[in-house]
Each structure stands twice: as structure tokens, then as C-alpha cells.
Amino acid sequence: MPDLAAMNASPTWWVLGESAAGELSAVPLTRSGEAGPVVPLSPAALAEFVAEREAAESPRWVWSDTPHWYPRLLEAGVRIARCHDLRLCHAILALSERVADPVPLRTALEWDAGPTIPVAAARPEATLFDFGVPAAGPDSVPHSLTAALAEFARQRAAEATRRDLGLLLAAESAGALIAIEMATAGVPWDVAEHDRLLAAELGPRPAPGVKPQAMLTVGEEVRAALGDATANLDSPPKLIRALRTAGVDVASTSQWELMEHEHPVIAPLLRYKKLARLLTANGWAWLDEWVHEGRYRPVYVPGGVVTGRWASSGGGALQLPRQLRPAVRADPGWRLVSADVAQLEPRVLAAYAGDRALAAAARGADLYTGIVETGAVATREEAKFAMLGAMYGATTGEAGRLAPRLRRAYPAAMGMLDRAASTGEQGGKVATKLGRTSPPPSPEWAAEQSKASMPGATLADEARARRTARDLGRFTRNFIVQGTAAEWALAWLAGLRSRLWELPLVTDGPHAAASGRVFSRRAHLVFFLHDEVIVHAPAEQAEAVATAIRAAADDAGQLLFPGAPVDFPLDLRITERSDAK
């Protein structure tokens, strides 16, 4: 049994601060909140000081934001076990409905990272609403020791009586460490293979400012089908006009709208758009900018989506196309150990709702096949379509037709989704398992609802209000599932990170020198995408890493849903390159 008195007397946290002039300082805090003497630090002494304290006490480091502090430590060869990211935790607590008195946090405006920026809604089988990265970056957050201490006190008071919030803050902060570590180590990348893949799709690398040959060829096919030799294929407004002239009545050039039409121009135009997207997002310019010394180092943004999912503010890690996966290749003598979770969001729904029937359908098997075997629907395709429609709020078409069957078969899970949707339609907020809360509706939304209920409201006003209410209901319906799945994934990542660090250093054999001082001789995370991880590991440790990945997934399930009869099976592979099976 631990000595509680000794734990309370020794530093539990070290709070770091930085003045506007760049002067650093640190102060220890005990569990009771007692502060020790302030320790002034020079920038050159920071890494050594943190390394000494880490070895002696293994505290939790409290700092304004991980991207500001952690890279300089890793560059000096210092890895820490735990941190508390004040900026990320502030964003959670200031909105959480589980905080008894959020006013002190909400009035500490200097800790707001800026509003999230909404982008267009996606199709139901993708994500419902994504929100962009914070409008203001970490540099907008104060770094002074006084400010950090005051904010930490507010946050401790806010989550003091809520174990679920404490778990969420720890997981979010661990994710911040992992994001910086993955950017530091980088994804092992085969530049020659990437160039070969581009050449196979686009043709040889062209001169600057010149389109690749494949795009030129397909572009001529598009213009021929349009009957317009001068059509501008890279300007959506001009392309829409050319399409309409050719008899294709579209409002946009999105793939989904184009596919609804039958015309000789559709196939080559979709091919052209695919090539253009590859060139723009991951072409030779991308390769020159983002891959150096055999490593691809994107910039991750933990919590960049309001549901808690990660975003990316550089490098496009979250949109890495499958066709480029062969370029992800382990160093000689190393392996890639990759895993993704089967049907993560429906499993999370079953666990969060306590729906034993849905959990039983998923247990140890393909969830959609399990739904078919219960007789709820006839085919696996129907099961997948119905479940995704239920989670993303599809109420018409095939998904709408199948919804009553799911409600009869899985009343607890479907009831939770329906209640979340109803809450959103009325302008309310919903929360994930650990307490991340959906943002309130915008003032514009509230004004539309109010206008529709006023004397003199038109039928158009009422229709608009109903539509926007349903839209918000679709968002809250999905928020509880996507957000809780993000929490499970964070717990998985955090547990895996700890387990990997327990594996021994590689003393013999090749090192992964390009991964940097901290990771060149040990297995380390290099990639994460919602429900997928990739670990770069010495070949002799690959099986141990696979075991760690499975164990961390089991731990995450028990941490979030203790005792729930829901498993999270993994598709796990040990390969030399990412696309190998």
C-alpha cells in the first residue's frame, strides 16, 4: 500500500512558466496544493532540470501548452512520462456540463485558444460535422508562471469531484505528448517509392508550373466530352458553367453530385479530379516540403475537432491516401506493427448505452454480421448502412427504412441516440462518456428558432427553423458516439505509449537514427488516425509490440467501460511496408 503521507509531502506536480522576456521558472506543488520555492531556470538548463526531476520524482509537468514546451525537451533527448496541458484542459472544462461552477474558467479568456472553425458537413457514412483547428494557436496562451498557477488552480477545482473528467484531462494531455513525439520521430518514408507511385499515376515529374502528362491527357478527354476545347477544369465556377452548357445540370463539382449524372464527361472528369487531388495534396511539392531524411513529420492538433478527434494543421496526416501507403516503409532491421479497430464507433455505442443485445452481436465477431445473425436485418450491407445511418442521423431512404428494425432489436443504443438528437433539436448540449460536452448552438441558430415562433413568421421561416434544428440534432446524435470513440482511442494511445516505453532499448542491430535521440533505439508510435495506429519497432520486438497493442486496447475498454461485455478486436499486422498484408 503506498505511503499517502509521503506522497502528499513530495512534489506531485511541477508547474513551468515563461515570462514575456523568455525567462523560465518552475515551482513544485504537493497533492494538497502546497507550493515549494520557485526555481529560476535558463533556457539552456531546462532540459537537464526536467530530466533530473523526471528521474527522481516522475511528476506530472504542468505547462501552458505542449507544442510550446515539449519539442525543446525531445530535441535535448528528454522524454517525460506525464503532463497536464492547460490549454487543452481549459477547452474541455470551460464547456463541460459536468463542471459544477464553470464561470471562473469561462471568464479566464486569456486561456481560450480561439473558436473552432466549422467546415462543410460530410456525408452520413463519413463524419457528420468536422470543425477546423483552433483559430488562434498556442502562442496566444500566456506562459507566465503566475498565470499557469492560477489556471491550474481553477482546473483542479473544476474537476476535483469528477473522476471521469480527471481521466479525460489525463488522456487529452497524454495525446498532446504523443502528437509531438510522433512529429519528432516521424513516419519512416521511402522517397523513391513515393516518386515511383506518383509517376505511375501522373507521369514523370514535370517542370515547375507544368501539369503532369496524365492530367494533360485526361484533361483533353474532359474538354472533348464537354465540346469545349478551352474549358477551365481548375476553376469550379467556370467548370460548372461548362458542364451546364454540355447538359449536366449541377450546382457543384463534388464527386457525389457528379456521380448522380450520366454523361460521357463524368468518368474522365472524376479521373481528372482524382489526379489533381493527388498532385495538390501529396505530389512532388508535398514530398519536398514534408519528407526529410527519410521521415514524414506532419503537425497533429489534438482536440482540433470539437468531438475530441485530432486534426492536422500541416502535412495532411489525416488524409493520407491509401495509394501512397507503400511509401511508408520501416528502416532496415525494423518493422511496422499496425492495428486498426473493427467497427469502433458502434462498439462504443453499445458500451456507452449499456445495450447488451448490441454488445452480444459484436462479441468476438464482425459486428455487422452479428446484427444479421440476430435477424434484425437481412444482409451485412443492410446492417452497416442501418447502423451508420442511425449514428449519423440519416432518416430517409434505405437507412430510414431500416431504422425501426434497429430500434426494436437494440432499444438501449437507439434510444440513447434518439435522446441525444432530441436534445440537440431543442438547443441543448450532450456529453461523451468522460464529459466532453458539445458546444452550444450559435446565436444565428437561436435567432432562426426564435423568428419561426414569432407572430408573422412565414412558412419559409418555419421550414428553415425545422431544418436547422434537425441539423443540430444530427450533430448531437453523432457527438456522443464520435466523441466517446475519440476518448477510447486516446486511452488506447496513452496505454500503448507507456507499454512501449517499458520495452528494453535496442543495444545490438540497426538503430532508427532518423527517429531522433529519444526513439532511435526503441519501439515508438509513428502514426495515428482515429482508430488506427502504426508503431515502428525493432524486428526482434515486433511480437512484443503486437502484444502491447492488444493489451492497451483491452485496458482502454475496461477504463472507459468497466465490466461492459464489449470487446474491441484489432486487425493487426507486422510488415516492412504499410500496405503489406
Side-chain angles (χ1 to χ4, degrees):
M1 185 174 183
D3 185 340
L4 297 181
M7 288 177 63
N8 202 43
S10 63
T12 301
W13 299 281
W14 274 93
V15 184
L16 295 176
E18 180 174 2
S19 72
E23 298 166 334
L24 308 182
S25 54
V27 64
L29 293 179
T30 64
R31 190 171 298 277
S32 63
E34 181 181 352
V38 175
V39 179
L41 294 168
S42 68
L46 174 65
E48 182 179 358
F49 173 81
V50 170
E52 289 176 352
R53 302 275 59 78
E54 186 74 17
E57 303 157 9
S58 189
R60 190 178 297 275
W61 297 93
V62 180
W63 50 38
S64 55
D65 51 276
T66 304
H68 181 79
W69 291 93
Y70 199 29
R72 66 180 98 176
L73 297 178
L74 289 175
E75 185 178 355
V78 178
R79 181 258 193 194
I80 67 168
R82 304 179 299 167
C83 83
H84 182 97
D85 187 303
L86 291 168
R87 180 179 64 87
L88 287 176
C89 294
H90 177 92
I92 292 171
L93 293 172
L95 275 179
S96 179
E97 63 177 11
R98 297 181 189 172
V99 173
D101 181 14
V103 172
L105 287 160
R106 292 176 183 174
T107 54
L109 300 180
E110 68 273 18
W111 286 92
D112 287 344
T116 50
I117 306 166
V119 295
R123 295 187 305 134
E125 60 268 37
T127 55
L128 178 61
F129 291 110
D130 274 347
F131 287 75
V133 298
D139 289 340
S140 67
V141 177
H143 297 153
S144 75
L145 184 60
T146 300
L149 284 167
E151 174 62 16
F152 188 45
R154 288 189 289 267
Q155 294 187 14
R156 288 188 66 195
E159 56 92 14
T161 60
R162 297 300 307 232
R163 178 179 180 272
D164 49 3
L165 282 176
L167 289 175
L168 178 55
L169 301 185
E172 188 86 339
S173 297
L177 293 175
I178 293 165
I180 298 301
E181 289 174 355
M182 289 198 299
T184 299
V187 183
W189 202 265
D190 187 334
V191 174
E193 178 67 9
H194 187 148
D195 182 74
R196 187 192 69 78
L197 292 168
L198 290 177
E201 289 286 335
L202 297 166
R205 182 171 186 168
V210 178
K211 289 182 180 178
Q213 184 58 50
M215 286 185 66
L216 294 174
T217 300
V218 177
E220 290 306 311
E221 294 179 23
V222 174
R223 294 186 181 93
L226 288 172
D228 183 351
T230 63
N232 187 334
L233 308 185
D234 303 310
S235 168
K238 293 179 180 179
L239 179 57
I240 289 172
R241 287 198 294 270
L243 286 166
R244 289 175 175 173
T245 300
V248 183
D249 188 15
V250 293
S252 74
T253 60
S254 72
Q255 175 183 348
W256 318 114
E257 184 168 359
L258 290 172
M259 290 176 65
E260 294 177 356
H261 297 268
E262 291 187 9
H263 189 281
V265 75
I266 300 300
L269 179 55
L270 290 175
R271 172 65 175 159
Y272 182 87
K273 287 170 63 67
K274 180 181 179 182
L275 294 175
R277 187 164 54 249
L278 175 62
L279 178 65
T280 302
N282 300 101
W284 290 281
W286 179 92
L287 189 60
D288 292 342
E289 180 178 2
W290 289 102
V291 180
H292 303 283
E293 299 177 346
R295 291 294 185 269
Y296 160 45
R297 294 182 170 89
V299 180
Y300 292 99
V301 183
V305 178
V306 291
T307 58
R309 274 190 168 186
W310 287 18
S312 176
S313 67
L318 306 184
Q319 294 86 34
L320 192 64
R322 284 283 173 185
Q323 67 201 101
L324 290 183
R325 284 298 186 95
V328 181
R329 185 162 297 182
D331 287 358
W334 287 58
R335 296 292 183 270
L336 299 174
V337 187
S338 58
D340 56 83
V341 190
Q343 302 112 21
L344 174 59
E345 290 190 356
R347 293 173 189 277
V348 161
L349 172 62
Y352 191 9
D355 194 314
R356 292 187 171 274
L358 184 56
R363 189 69 182 172
D366 175 76
L367 180 141
Y368 301 127
T369 300
I371 291 176
V372 173
E373 291 173 352
T374 67
V377 295
T379 67
R380 186 184 185 280
E381 183 179 2
E382 282 189 344
K384 182 176 182 180
F385 200 79
M387 183 58 66
L388 291 175
M391 291 190 299
Y392 289 94
T395 57
T396 60
E398 187 71 2
R401 181 183 69 81
L402 296 170
R405 301 187 190 182
L406 289 189
R407 287 192 175 91
R408 288 193 296 270
Y410 311 113
M414 297 305 110
M416 170 178 272
L417 292 175
D418 289 342
R419 288 190 298 274
S422 177
T423 298
E425 289 172 5
Q426 298 171 45
K429 297 186 290 185
V430 297
T432 60
K433 179 68 166 62
L434 296 183
R436 193 188 300 269
T437 300
S438 62
S442 68
E444 292 79 12
W445 184 93
E448 285 185 347
Q449 303 304 309
S450 177
K451 182 179 180 181
S453 63
M454 297 292 287
T458 66
L459 292 176
D461 293 333
E462 294 174 357
R464 187 181 305 109
R466 286 194 297 270
R467 184 178 64 254
T468 56
R470 287 194 299 268
D471 286 345
L472 189 56
R474 290 174 59 235
F475 170 68
T476 51
R477 170 188 291 271
N478 181 249
F479 185 94
I480 59 172
V481 180
Q482 189 180 111
T484 303
E487 291 169 352
W488 183 93
L490 278 176
W492 184 33
L493 280 176
L496 176 57
R497 175 180 184 261
S498 296
R499 287 178 177 273
L500 293 178
W501 194 254
E502 293 170 358
L503 296 176
L505 281 170
V506 174
T507 54
D508 299 323
H511 297 171
S515 295
R517 295 174 60 181
V518 174
F519 305 110
S520 63
R521 295 192 295 148
R522 61 170 68 250
H524 53 278
L525 277 156
V526 296
F527 185 77
F528 167 61
L529 178 60
H530 306 323
D531 58 3
E532 177 189 6
V533 297
I534 300 178
V535 175
H536 193 213
E540 63 270 25
Q541 291 185 349
E543 290 294 344
V545 168
T547 298
I549 292 174
R550 293 189 188 96
D554 292 341
D555 291 346
Q558 287 303 308
L559 183 67
L560 263 70
F561 313 110
V566 178
D567 60 350
F568 296 90
L570 304 175
D571 178 12
L572 201 148
R573 301 174 299 281
I574 299 174
T575 60
E576 292 186 14
R577 54 187 175 88
S578 178
D579 68 325
K581 298 292 185 181

